[in-house]
């Protein structure tokens, strides 16, 4: 069994969108007359494709629109709610990057500082050298540090059926996650290439804690959640449940998208830590990304740093916890996507923050998320290949 391919198989039909180039004002909303009907159709198509349920909310110049499809509970048939809270996986990364950039703006650190300066001895071994890795390289995934979720034993323990049900309530410390990464060689030398690594953001969370003297989750609450009044957003730590209102989360816990479906709602998210443990809902995510791109959370200099990207592929670029995607109609959107057991989520907005979209699938093995984004911003999307929009899930191997 090639466990390095496990998460790819589970999310092969999904994708994560975001962006970084300026979109012209005329591109800030879907073409006139399309409304959100294409988005509704794309959401319903995801359910036909096998996703248990979807919840979606969009906000633009015409107001706020929400829709649901499918069910939130396979046993009872209870529908999903527009107010559902859900695990957002790697969307956590944008919150973490925002806090680090705020600390830079306050003069408490520099993104050109090395990991070794802040966390001596943490990144060391098998060719890893924290003295050569900057905080900026953590945030834009150019550090070369091995992705701990790609470790085969980790995959068997936490992503496949037998391991998951035995270990779903394990508490993992961030130092343990980084130490696991250090048992592997780096993907490349710092600054020479790009590769998505959850280890980068575990380390980033630890730097926040070193710089502030308190848990990184408290910094997110004080600096982002409270000021923006994100009432459905939380950093759960080791809490295994999702606050109500919420739906159940489902997974195949296998290398294939077939076979039994398991309820994986309860899980100790410390295995994701600051790389992907947060909980939110669609309304809060839209508010967060709109506020971020409008400059409400960062000074202009730091927002410019955040939106300066390195190329990922022809359609995508990655900034500092923020990804850009140019859609097929020419619109560019910014944001992040994320996945964790039984939950796939997206939060994106145009560069001016005026048109935002957030949605969640409560199954992790099916559904064309790229099509939902294309439908909302381009008025079409059914024919979009699921892999066009770069996957940046927490579970990415």
């Amino acid at each position: 069994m090639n466990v390095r391919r496990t998460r790819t198989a589970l999310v092969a039909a999904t994708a994560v969108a975001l962006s970084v180039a300026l979109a012209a004002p005329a591109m800030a909303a879907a073409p006139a007359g399309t409304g959100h009907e294409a988005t509704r159709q794309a959401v319903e198509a995801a359910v036909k494709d096998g996703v248990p349920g979807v919840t979606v909310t969009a906000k633009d110049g015409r107001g706020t629109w929400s829709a649901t499809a499918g069910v939130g509970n396979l046993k009872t048939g209870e529908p999903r709610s527009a107010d559902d809270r859900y695990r957002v996986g790697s969307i956590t990364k944008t919150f973490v990057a925002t806090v680090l950039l705020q600390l830079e703006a306050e003069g408490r650190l520099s993104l050109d500082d090395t990991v070794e300066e802040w966390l001596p001895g943490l990144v060391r071994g098998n060719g890893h050298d924290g003295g050569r890795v900057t905080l900026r390289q953590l945030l834009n995934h150019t550090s070369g540090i091995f992705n701990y979720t790609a470790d085969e034993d980790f995959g068997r323990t936490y992503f496949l059926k037998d391991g998951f049900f035995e270990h779903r309530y394990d508490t993992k410390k961030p130092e343990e996650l980084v130490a696991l990464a250090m048992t592997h060689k780096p993907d490349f030398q710092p600054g020479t290439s790009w590769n998505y690594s959850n280890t980068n953001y575990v380390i980033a969370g630890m730097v926040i804690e070193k710089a502030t003297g308190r848990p990184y989750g408290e910094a997110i609450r004080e600096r982002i959640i409270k000021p923006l009044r994100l009432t459905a957003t939380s950093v759960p730590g080791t809490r295994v449940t999702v606050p109500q209102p919420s739906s159940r989360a489902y997974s195949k816990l296998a290398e294939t998208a077939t076979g039994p479906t398991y309820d994986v709602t309860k899980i100790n998210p410390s295995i994701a830590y600051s790389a992907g443990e947060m909980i939110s809902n669609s309304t809060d995510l839209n508010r967060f990304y709109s506020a971020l791109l409008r400059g409400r959370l960062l000074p202009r200099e730091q927002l410019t740093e955040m939106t300066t990207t390195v190329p990922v592929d022809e359609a995508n670029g990655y900034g500092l916890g923020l990804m850009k995607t140019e859609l097929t109609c020419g619109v560019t959107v910014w944001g992040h996507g994320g996945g964790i057991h039984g939950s796939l989520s997206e939060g994106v907005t145009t560069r001016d923050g005026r048109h935002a979209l957030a949605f969640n699938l409560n199954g992790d093995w099916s559904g064309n998320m790229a099509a939902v984004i294309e439908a909302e911003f381009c008025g079409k999307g059914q024919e979009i290949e699921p892999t066009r929009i770069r996957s940046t899930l927490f579970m990415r191997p």
Side-chain angles (χ1 to χ4, degrees):
M1 177 186 300
N2 187 342
V3 181
R4 287 178 68 95
R5 293 200 305 267
T6 299
R7 299 316 306 162
T8 301
L10 286 176
V11 298
T14 68
V16 200
L18 301 75
S19 73
V20 85
L22 286 173
M27 295 180 178
T34 61
H36 303 283
E37 185 56 33
T39 310
R40 185 188 300 277
Q41 292 175 6
V43 165
E44 292 173 349
V47 173
K48 290 179 182 178
D49 194 39
V51 175
V54 185
T55 180
V56 57
T57 296
K59 185 176 182 180
D60 58 20
R62 293 167 295 206
T64 299
W65 170 87
S66 296
T68 64
V71 298
N73 189 314
L74 289 173
K75 287 186 177 181
T76 67
E78 182 180 356
R80 295 213 64 177
S81 165
D83 297 321
D84 267 358
R85 301 180 185 191
Y86 44 81
R87 300 188 191 279
V88 302
S90 281
I91 290 175
T92 303
K93 291 179 171 67
T94 312
F95 287 82
V96 169
T98 299
V99 170
L100 271 178
L101 283 161
Q102 289 176 340
L103 292 172
E104 182 191 55
E106 295 164 9
R108 300 173 68 174
L109 54 77
S110 168
L111 293 192
D112 295 321
D113 292 344
T114 67
V115 172
E116 183 69 16
E117 291 177 65
W118 283 97
L119 303 167
L122 180 71
V123 176
R124 188 175 297 170
N126 280 316
H128 288 284
D129 180 0
R132 299 180 58 200
V133 176
T134 67
L135 304 187
R136 189 185 313 276
Q137 289 168 341
L138 295 178
L139 298 186
N140 66 12
H141 295 296
T142 61
S143 72
I145 295 174
F146 183 83
N147 179 12
Y148 73 92
T149 60
D151 178 84
E152 292 193 10
D153 286 340
F154 190 91
R156 281 190 291 267
T157 301
Y158 294 104
F159 295 133
L160 299 183
K161 184 187 70 171
D162 292 343
F164 174 81
F165 286 114
E166 182 179 351
H167 296 283
R168 68 193 298 178
Y169 300 128
D170 287 1
T171 292
K172 302 295 289 185
K173 295 181 179 180
E175 293 85 357
E176 295 178 83
L177 304 178
V178 178
L180 176 59
M182 294 302 103
T183 65
H184 297 266
K185 294 184 180 300
D187 295 323
F188 49 82
Q189 292 302 307
T192 63
S193 187
W194 184 91
N195 191 48
Y196 193 85
S197 174
N198 291 302
T199 314
N200 287 327
Y201 275 78
V202 170
I203 297 170
M206 296 173 70
V207 171
I208 290 173
E209 296 190 346
K210 187 69 174 291
T212 64
R214 56 181 180 166
Y216 89 94
E218 289 187 14
I220 288 177
R221 280 188 287 270
E222 293 300 320
R223 292 169 171 270
I224 302 175
I225 293 175
K226 287 184 178 180
L228 295 183
R229 299 181 181 178
L230 305 180
T231 57
T233 303
S234 60
V235 184
T238 59
R239 188 183 70 225
V240 303
T241 56
V242 179
Q244 294 295 317
S246 59
S247 294
R248 309 304 294 178
Y250 298 98
S251 179
K252 297 296 184 181
L253 295 176
E255 288 188 282
T256 65
T258 60
T261 298
Y262 300 97
D263 187 322
V264 295
T265 308
K266 291 183 178 181
I267 183 174
N268 184 331
S270 66
I271 63 165
Y273 186 61
S274 50
E277 73 168 284
M278 288 181 66
I279 292 169
S280 190
N281 73 359
S282 299
T283 297
D284 274 11
L285 291 180
N286 284 339
R287 184 178 300 151
F288 168 63
Y289 279 111
S290 291
L292 178 62
L293 271 298
R294 287 182 173 183
R296 289 184 55 192
L297 294 171
L298 294 173
R300 180 175 298 180
E301 179 181 349
Q302 275 67 40
L303 185 56
T304 297
E305 286 188 284
M306 179 176 252
T307 55
T308 299
T309 63
V310 293
V312 175
D313 53 39
E314 63 179 14
N316 300 274
Y318 201 95
L320 306 183
L322 194 66
M323 195 169 180
K324 73 170 181 180
T325 293
E326 182 177 343
L327 305 180
T328 58
C329 61
V331 175
T332 299
V333 290
W334 311 58
H336 215 288
I340 193 168
H341 302 74
S343 181
L344 299 175
S345 309
E346 290 284 353
V348 297
T349 183
T350 48
R351 180 61 181 86
D352 58 12
R354 293 179 180 176
H355 187 176
L357 172 74
F359 62 99
N360 171 263
L361 282 57
N362 65 338
D364 62 19
W365 66 90
S366 183
N368 189 342
M369 300 180 78
V372 178
I373 296 166
E374 287 273 349
E376 176 62 26
F377 292 93
C378 299
K380 58 184 178 65
Q382 298 288 345
E383 71 283 8
I384 300 300
E385 288 294 324
T387 55
R388 172 176 170 77
I389 298 174
R390 185 76 183 194
S391 177
T392 55
L393 306 178
F394 161 71
M395 299 181 294
R396 179 183 169 90

